[in-house]
């Protein structure tokens, strides 16, 4: 038996209300984003609502395997707060803060510099260049090859120690150039960079659509509306085919077929409808 709850199934919190934003607030995730001294930042995605079911599936599959090997069933208990807080704990924020790294760093990650999001003349882009090789690509891309040998940019430790300098150099260079030119210059030198896309742009990426990770949505009566996409299954199997084979049903659409599978004949189903049971 698997249960998903806000705070766990057996700890006396059954009456405590758990909405996604409440869980985001309690988990610490709101204070892991944004600028120092600024208000908390709520994630635009319901990450508490989404992460708990993922862990529940993992736990359920593990319990099924355990039962097959041992013959023993069990209760799989997943909480929204625990799932999201476990993700927050992947970074030791308090330990980092104690040695001088700010808890909230906004658009940049100083301990991995150059690393963050920047603005070009006509859009935003991200750079992730924590290694010497990737950082060299960034410096060459922005036309500052001379900094490869400098004391404050030539090594990772030096870049981290002077992390407040690099963002300004990158931002000043990029602000005068169109996004396409910025990305071409960076990627040509091996720097990991990408445009910041809107959700509408992202869900139409031919790559994720072709892999079934995002799927066109169909209405059971009116069919597919152009441009309407939803979540697919972001797991691709080499020896199996998975897909969403039909639109979400109307309320009660499958009642007759389910009852038929359970052994009810059409006359009995009709009797139940006439009596108001269905």
């Amino acid at each position: 038996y698997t249960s998903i709850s806000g705070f766990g199934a057996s700890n006396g919190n059954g009456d405590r209300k758990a909405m996604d934003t409440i869980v985001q607030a309690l988990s610490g995730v709101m204070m892991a984003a944004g600028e120092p001294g600024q208000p908390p930042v709520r994630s635009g995605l319901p990450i508490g609502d989404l992460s708990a079911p993922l862990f529940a599936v993992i736990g359920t599959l593990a319990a099924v395997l355990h039962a097959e090997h041992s013959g023993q069933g069990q209760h799989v208990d997943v909480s929204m707060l625990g799932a999201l807080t476990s993700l927050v704990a992947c970074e030791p924020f308090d330990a980092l803060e104690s040695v001088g790294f700010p808890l909230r760093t906004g658009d940049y990650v100083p301990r991995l510099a150059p690393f963050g999001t920047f603005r070009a003349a006509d859009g935003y882009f991200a750079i992730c260049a924590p290694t010497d090789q990737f950082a060299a690509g960034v410096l060459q891309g922005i036309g500052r090859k001379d900094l490869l040998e400098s004391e404050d940019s030539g090594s990772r430790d030096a870049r981290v120690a002077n992390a407040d300098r690099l963002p300004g150099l990158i931002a000043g260079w990029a602000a005068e150039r169109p996004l396409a030119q910025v990305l071409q210059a960076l990627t040509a030198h091996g720097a990991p960079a990408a445009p910041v896309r809107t959700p509408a742009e992202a869900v139409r990426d031919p790559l994720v659509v072709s892999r079934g990770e995002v799927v066109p949505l169909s209405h059971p009566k009116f069919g597919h509306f152009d441009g309407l996409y939803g979540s697919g299954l972001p797991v691709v199997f080499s020896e199996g085919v998975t897909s969403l084979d039909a639109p979400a049903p109307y309320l009660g659409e499958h009642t007759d077929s389910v009852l038929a599978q359970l052994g009810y004949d059409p006359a009995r189903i009709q009797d139940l409808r006439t009596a108001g049971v269905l």
Side-chain angles (χ1 to χ4, degrees), residues 135-136 138-150 153 189:
V138 172
L139 294 175
Q140 292 177 78
I142 69 173
R144 295 302 307 268
K145 187 177 180 179
D146 58 298
L147 295 179
L148 292 175
E149 305 299 328
S150 69
S153 301
H189 290 92

Side-chain angles (χ1 to χ4, degrees), residues 36-181:
Q38 294 298 307
V41 177
R42 183 187 67 84
S43 172
L45 291 175
I47 49 179
D49 286 341
L50 296 173
S51 59
L54 293 176
F55 284 108
V57 170
I58 295 169
T60 301
L61 294 175
V64 168
L65 289 174
H66 176 80
E68 289 179 347
H69 286 285
S70 70
Q72 179 185 36
Q74 59 189 302
H75 177 195
V76 179
D77 175 8
V78 176
S79 77
M80 290 171 59
L81 179 62
L84 190 52
T85 308
S86 74
L87 298 181
V88 172
C90 76
E91 290 275 12
F93 290 104
D94 52 346
L96 290 170
E97 193 172 24
S98 71
V99 295
F101 289 103
L103 171 63
R104 307 174 74 193
T105 60
D107 293 331
Y108 313 119
V109 183
R111 64 186 176 84
L112 300 174
F115 197 109
T117 57
F118 303 86
R119 184 172 187 170
D122 57 348
Y124 292 87
F125 64 99
I127 291 176
C128 296
T131 68
D132 287 342
Q133 177 185 355
F134 291 153
V138 172
L139 294 175
Q140 292 177 78
I142 69 173
R144 295 302 307 268
K145 187 177 180 179
D146 58 298
L147 295 179
L148 292 175
E149 305 299 328
S150 69
E151 292 185 358
D152 58 2
S153 301
S155 67
R156 177 174 176 179
D157 286 350
R159 290 189 299 274
V160 172
N162 297 278
D164 56 345
R165 182 187 179 200
L166 279 176
L169 291 175
I170 298 169
W173 170 83
E176 302 174 349
R177 293 168 171 79
L179 181 60
Q181 181 181 337

Side-chain angles (χ1 to χ4, degrees), residues 221-241:
K221 181 178 179 181
F222 302 107
H224 174 62
F225 287 91
D226 185 38
L228 188 61
Y229 290 84
S231 301
L233 182 66
V235 181
V236 180
F237 295 94
S238 66
E239 304 301 330
V241 178

